[in-house]
Amino acid sequence: MPTTKPPTPAALSMDEDLPMTPGAALRVVHEPDTGIDLEAAERAAGELLRALGISTDSESLSGTPGRMARAYAELFTPRPFDLTTFPNEEGYDELVLARAIPVRSVCEHHLLPFTGVAHVGYLPGQRILGLSKLARIVEHFACRPQVQERLTKQVADWLGEHLQPKGVGVVIEAEHTCMTLRGVQATGAHTVTSTLLGTLRADARARHEFFALTGVNGA
């Protein structure tokens, strides 16, 4: 399958002309030219299966290369979304946390899926974020070949840069099929990664509260 250059935080497009008023939205998009060629990907998938000794001549397998190509294209294409923020008029200064956000990504070393949950929280500054956008941001960075460590840091760094909160915390817990279905075959093993920024990193009490609310013992 042709490689696709993944978007990076710097490649995200933010419409800076939009006023920062209540309900103002910034448009978040992936790079416009993803380089996906479904026909070429289908041919390559068919060649891969045949090279592995799997014939695609039967009725049930004849459409498999095309389904593989479309499946990976979907996994590697993040959806655009509006980053909706609102003024923090009440001066709310306690933790905002979205727990158990579903994570679905693909290990960049074996192109096998890893799935799990993300816990994403922040200490508001001048603005608060529409809650569904925490899940959107996780999805955005998960839709590409990934490693869990990078995914965790990308979500935290992006929130820190664009929302400018007092602190950010991200924990991801995931099962990697490249470790459970092959190689060591460590069935049931989960990997936990975390990134803390600002007050959630510097203040022990804030850090303890964040990990306690996520259910992760990271104090």
Side-chain angles (χ1 to χ4, degrees):
M1 180 183 296
T3 58
T4 301
K5 181 182 177 183
T8 63
L12 298 178
S13 173
M14 308 294 292
D15 188 345
E16 297 177 352
D17 294 330
L18 288 172
M20 294 300 286
T21 56
L26 300 178
R27 191 67 171 171
V28 182
V29 297
H30 54 76
E31 291 179 331
D33 182 11
T34 61
I36 292 177
D37 184 338
L38 284 176
E39 292 184 0
E42 181 175 349
R43 291 193 298 271
E47 292 175 3
L48 173 63
L49 290 172
R50 289 188 288 273
L52 292 173
I54 300 172
S55 172
T56 59
D57 294 334
S58 69
E59 182 178 352
S60 61
L61 284 169
S62 61
T64 297
R67 288 189 289 267
M68 287 176 60
R70 292 189 296 275
Y72 276 105
E74 179 180 343
L75 288 171
F76 296 158
T77 305
R79 296 179 293 179
F81 66 94
D82 293 324
L83 181 70
T84 310
T85 67
F86 304 91
N88 187 9
E89 294 174 338
E90 301 300 322
Y92 185 82
D93 60 359
E94 299 294 333
L95 185 65
V96 177
L97 175 67
R99 289 176 32 170
I101 297 170
V103 173
R104 177 202 69 183
S105 193
V106 177
C107 164
E108 69 179 28
H109 301 136
H110 299 93
L111 288 190
L112 289 173
F114 65 90
T115 58
V117 295
H119 313 296
V120 182
Y122 71 97
L123 290 169
Q126 294 183 357
R127 302 189 70 81
I128 57 176
L129 185 67
L131 290 177
S132 67
K133 307 313 176 190
L134 294 173
R136 290 286 197 180
I137 294 165
V138 171
E139 178 193 270
H140 184 92
F141 286 105
C143 283
R144 65 198 69 181
Q146 269 289 14
V147 296
Q148 185 174 328
E149 297 89 339
R150 182 196 303 131
L151 172 59
T152 308
K153 191 171 187 303
Q154 284 178 332
V155 173
D157 286 347
W158 195 92
L159 279 169
E161 178 182 354
H162 295 292
L163 188 59
Q164 297 184 349
K166 296 177 181 177
V168 177
V170 179
V171 172
I172 295 180
E173 306 174 75
E175 178 177 331
H176 293 250
T177 56
C178 61
M179 185 170 72
T180 60
L181 299 182
R182 56 159 298 282
V184 69
Q185 297 184 25
T187 303
H190 287 76
T191 299
V192 180
T193 51
S194 66
T195 296
L196 302 177
L197 303 176
T199 301
L200 290 180
R201 182 180 182 91
D203 186 285
R205 288 181 298 178
R207 184 169 64 249
H208 177 79
E209 178 187 13
F210 171 75
F211 282 121
L213 289 175
T214 63
V216 176
N217 183 15

